[in-house]
Amino acid sequence: MNDSRNDPSDSGDKGDTGDRAVPSDFMAAPFLGEDFHVAQAMNDAVAGASAMSPAPSRVGSFRVGALIGRGSFASVYSATQDKPVVRRVALKVLDASLDQRSALQRFHREQHALARLEHPGIARLYEAGMTPDSRLYFAMEFVDGEPILAAATRAELPVRERIRLIRDACRAVHYAHMKGLIHRDLKPDNILVTTIDGALATKIIDFGVAKAIASPIDDSSLRTVAGQLVGTPAYMAPEQLEGRVDDVDVRSDVYALGAVLYELVSQRRPHQIGGMAPLDAARLVREERLRPLRDSVQGVSIDLDRALESALSVDPSDRYQSAAEFASDLDRVLDGEPVRSRTPGSWESTWRWSRRHPVQTAVALAALIGLVTTSVSFWSMAQTAKREVAHLQAAVKELLHSAIGLADRVGVVRERRAIIERAAALSATLLELRPNDAESRRIRADALIELSKIMRDATPSELDGARSLREEALAILDGLVAESPSKDDLAKHAIALILCGDIDKEVGDLAGAQRHYELALDEHRLMVARD
């Protein structure tokens, strides 16, 4: 097995933070905004950095060779088994110490998952056990190959051959699905290309984050010990990015296979979400229209684009319902036949979304109408009496709520931004009318944060503007917490600190990012102490 995954690291200046130094790989990792559990992430990051140690020279019947790859929780070595058979294997050894329960649980899941898989397109598990220094390991089939993107580029494979490789990978993944397993981290580095009987073939590796379909699983299993999502965001379906555990199923793997095929053919990913927090990335994926490959790649048929539209649909119900269905349509593409998938048109997609989200639809429509019919009246109402101020507060909240509801819809980025900008403008008016009113200040902070999120997702040129909005929101929340530190205000303040830290890190200010994250940690501890 050739596992080339390396954890990101950053050796930049992390500032003078006293005794709580944070490992550079922790600072390099993406954060989760309001879903990020600060205390657990910092504690586990430090524990993980101190627990790594090299593998012993011998493990059971295996002589350990060179390191060939390192992932988030384990290192992979080339090794030779000398009894009862002589063969070369890939030996995966847990890096973390045994008291890291979440890592151990993931490792146990990988062992049990792989033990049930016997397919020519999936690397086989041979043996599992314990090293002399009490670390878990398992030995698996050594795949003499390279990641699919690198292999296709080196061999200058034509489009047809790239489609064939993904079709074969789909069938291997479908086999695992039939065994009750979801991979959840399908990406180019986990789809290796090797040569079997003179022909190129794919091998799926690393079921380390597999989810047993029939087994209960809680939200913590979706995150690594460093507070990251388990998996690779660039290839994750929106429901997985959002951490919606109950919605992650075989269709999430179909999405990942579609994302890999899209990149394999076009040399670009379906969506550019690098550096984004997962929830922001999910919003972008839901809102941004998928670019047809035939517009930029020669040799791509309309049927391949239709197949990819189905595989990469943001709505699981509109995707292929199995990897086998995706493989069958790829066969049709290769044979020059029409695919069976049918991606809903824009009106049908809107109707389906409205059926699934009746409340958000009603609110969104009301908000859009209100932008035209009530914008002028809002100002006059806000100046007359306390009751009118309450109406204005409710209107801003409704606009923000409707904008959040529209996050599930495709192709409405401009509409969402218009609603949020209107809410921000009205919140400024509200603050002018009642500068000392706590609720008006909270609403203003909420509007600024929502606007900063959509600006951050837009273009790099708006990053500074997003940063300014978050700093303004943080200043408002600073005042609220200083006056009356309620639990809700403390939570909002901690979220704002983390969001400010996210942008600090994105622009390279690691000292500022760490300062914000540590303040959020202090806030978290204060909230825990109050419970």
Side-chain angles (χ1 to χ4, degrees), residues 23 26 91 111 156 192 213 228 261 264 280 291 366-367 421 426 435 444 481 521 529 531:
F26 176 71
L91 194 73
Q111 292 180 30
E156 298 182 347
L192 302 185
I213 297 173
Q228 297 170 267
L261 177 56
L264 191 62
D280 293 333
R291 291 178 292 177
E421 287 177 342
L426 292 176
R444 173 63 174 167
V481 169
L521 174 58
D531 289 340

Side-chain angles (χ1 to χ4, degrees), residues 340-373:
R340 292 181 178 175
S341 72
R342 184 184 67 84
T343 303
S346 58
W347 284 107
E348 183 177 351
S349 295
T350 301
W351 177 79
R352 289 187 182 187
W353 185 92
S354 300
R355 288 285 302 273
R356 294 194 304 272
H357 304 87
V359 176
Q360 292 95 323
T361 299
V363 173
L365 289 174
L368 289 170
I369 294 170
L371 290 176
V372 178
T373 61

Side-chain angles (χ1 to χ4, degrees), residues 153-355:
T153 301
R154 180 186 54 76
E156 298 182 347
L157 296 181
V159 170
R160 284 184 55 83
E161 184 66 7
R162 296 173 191 232
I163 296 171
R164 184 189 70 79
L165 290 174
I166 294 298
R167 178 205 61 189
D168 293 347
C170 285
R171 295 207 162 106
V173 170
H174 179 68
Y175 166 84
H177 290 168
M178 293 300 96
K179 292 291 186 177
L181 297 167
I182 301 172
H183 193 292
R184 292 200 300 158
D185 192 20
L186 288 166
K187 58 184 178 181
D189 283 354
N190 283 342
I191 304 174
L192 302 185
V193 174
T194 187
T195 301
I196 299 177
D197 296 331
L200 294 181
T202 54
K203 285 271 189 180
I204 307 296
I205 65 170
D206 199 355
F207 274 81
V209 294
K211 170 185 174 182
I213 297 173
S215 301
I217 194 166
D218 62 22
D219 184 63
S220 64
S221 66
L222 285 176
R223 310 194 189 284
T224 73
V225 293
Q228 297 170 267
L229 287 179
V230 170
T232 306
Y235 306 96
M236 280 185 180
E239 66 271 13
Q240 192 172 357
L241 283 167
E242 292 162 349
R244 294 191 281 115
V245 181
D246 292 340
D247 294 332
V248 175
D249 57 25
V250 297
R251 296 170 297 183
S252 304
D253 276 355
V254 168
Y255 182 97
L257 288 163
V260 173
L261 177 56
Y262 189 99
E263 184 175 8
L264 191 62
V265 172
S266 69
Q267 306 302 310
R268 66 174 186 269
R269 292 172 177 174
H271 304 282
Q272 303 305 311
I273 60 173
M276 290 186 184
L279 292 179
D280 293 333
R283 291 190 189 98
L284 178 65
V285 170
R286 290 189 178 282
E287 294 167 3
E288 185 177 67
R289 185 176 180 82
L290 188 69
R291 291 178 292 177
L293 293 186
R294 63 185 183 278
D295 292 347
S296 57
V297 181
Q298 290 185 346
V300 171
S301 66
I302 189 172
D303 284 299
L304 177 58
D305 270 331
R306 285 174 176 166
L308 285 168
E309 285 176 18
S310 179
L312 292 169
S313 173
V314 297
D315 187 339
S317 65
D318 290 335
R319 276 179 224 149
Y320 292 107
Q321 299 301 290
S322 72
E325 285 187 11
F326 189 17
S328 293
D329 257 0
L330 292 180
D331 273 333
R332 294 182 183 91
V333 171
L334 292 171
D335 293 339
E337 299 176 359
V339 296
R340 292 181 178 175
S341 72
R342 184 184 67 84
T343 303
S346 58
W347 284 107
E348 183 177 351
S349 295
T350 301
W351 177 79
R352 289 187 182 187
W353 185 92
S354 300
R355 288 285 302 273

Side-chain angles (χ1 to χ4, degrees), residues 40-41 43-45 47-48 72-74 94 96-110 136 184 208-210 217-228 230:
Q40 187 64 43
N43 292 339
D44 282 347
S72 298
F73 305 102
L94 191 69
S97 59
L98 292 179
D99 59 355
Q100 287 183 272
R101 294 181 182 177
S102 59
L104 289 176
Q105 289 169 355
R106 270 184 290 274
F107 206 76
H108 280 306
R109 278 202 299 272
E110 185 168 5
L136 291 173
R184 292 200 300 158
V209 294
I217 194 166
D218 62 22
D219 184 63
S220 64
S221 66
L222 285 176
R223 310 194 189 284
T224 73
V225 293
Q228 297 170 267
V230 170

Side-chain angles (χ1 to χ4, degrees), residues 107-121:
F107 206 76
H108 280 306
R109 278 202 299 272
E110 185 168 5
Q111 292 180 30
H112 294 309
L114 283 171
R116 289 155 41 197
L117 301 180
E118 291 189 19
H119 188 280

Side-chain angles (χ1 to χ4, degrees), residues 503-523:
I503 290 191
D504 285 340
K505 189 175 61 175
E506 195 164 340
V507 300
D509 181 9
L510 295 187
Q514 183 164 339
R515 183 174 62 255
H516 280 118
Y517 294 143
E518 289 191 339
L519 288 171
L521 174 58
D522 291 338
E523 208 109 279

